[in-house]
Amino acid sequence: AWSSDHPLAPKNLACIQSTPTSLTILMTDVPELEDSPVTGCVVEQSGMLTWAEVSSQLGTEGWPGERTVIVDSLMPDTEYTFRIKTLRNQKQSPASESIVAKTASRPGLPVLFKLHRYSHMVAIDWG
């Protein structure tokens, strides 16, 4: 049974958005109780030999029991392995199962396709 003394690890991690420098991870089955809401999280990235904490921010709540976590300052087109611990009442949950996610490639070089010579406007296509 869930107890505020021993927070449960987040489950069912899924990457729901990928940009060249960030990943948004959805956690489901995160018990939310009025007297003990999730107040933060710790995201750890797998390295060569160990796990290291990385920059992240707790995103918005979705459906009951769902939260997102945004991991930023990442490199484009790179695969990462993360695990997440939630914080509530200044207590940390055990780590989730790990998730592997890949950042998007950088957009191509801008291609100028229209320039009106008398305006201050330029249209750029990121094709």
Side-chain angles (χ1 to χ4, degrees), residues 15-25 55-57 69-78 80 82 101-106:
C15 182
I16 59 169
Q17 184 176 15
S18 175
T19 75
T21 59
S22 71
L23 294 166
T24 301
I25 299 169
S55 169
S56 68
Q57 62 187 32
V69 177
I70 301 161
V71 185
D72 51 20
S73 303
L74 301 176
M75 298 294 294
D77 198 27
T78 303
Y80 292 91
F82 298 111
K102 188 173 183 179
T103 50
S105 300
R106 266 203 196 286

Side-chain angles (χ1 to χ4, degrees), residues 107-121:
L109 292 174
V111 177
L112 187 65
F113 69 88
K114 183 178 180 182
L115 174 63
H116 190 279
R117 133 179 222 167
Y118 298 107
S119 78
H120 293 73
M121 225 158 146

Side-chain angles (χ1 to χ4, degrees), residues 15-102:
C15 182
I16 59 169
Q17 184 176 15
S18 175
T19 75
T21 59
S22 71
L23 294 166
T24 301
I25 299 169
L26 175 69
M27 303 179 288
T28 60
D29 200 20
V30 180
E32 287 282 2
L33 299 179
E34 287 181 20
D35 62 340
S36 183
V38 171
T39 55
C41 65
V42 173
V43 177
E44 295 176 329
Q45 179 184 333
S46 177
M48 293 296 285
L49 301 172
T50 186
W51 292 89
E53 188 173 342
V54 294
S55 169
S56 68
Q57 62 187 32
L58 193 60
T60 57
E61 295 181 49
W63 293 99
E66 291 186 348
R67 292 301 290 264
T68 57
V69 177
I70 301 161
V71 185
D72 51 20
S73 303
L74 301 176
M75 298 294 294
D77 198 27
T78 303
E79 193 170 86
Y80 292 91
T81 302
F82 298 111
R83 65 185 187 186
I84 299 174
K85 301 172 184 177
T86 56
L87 304 172
R88 61 175 92 227
N89 288 342
Q90 300 175 341
K91 295 182 176 127
Q92 187 170 283
S93 75
S96 67
E97 295 290 318
S98 59
I99 181 173
V100 177
K102 188 173 183 179

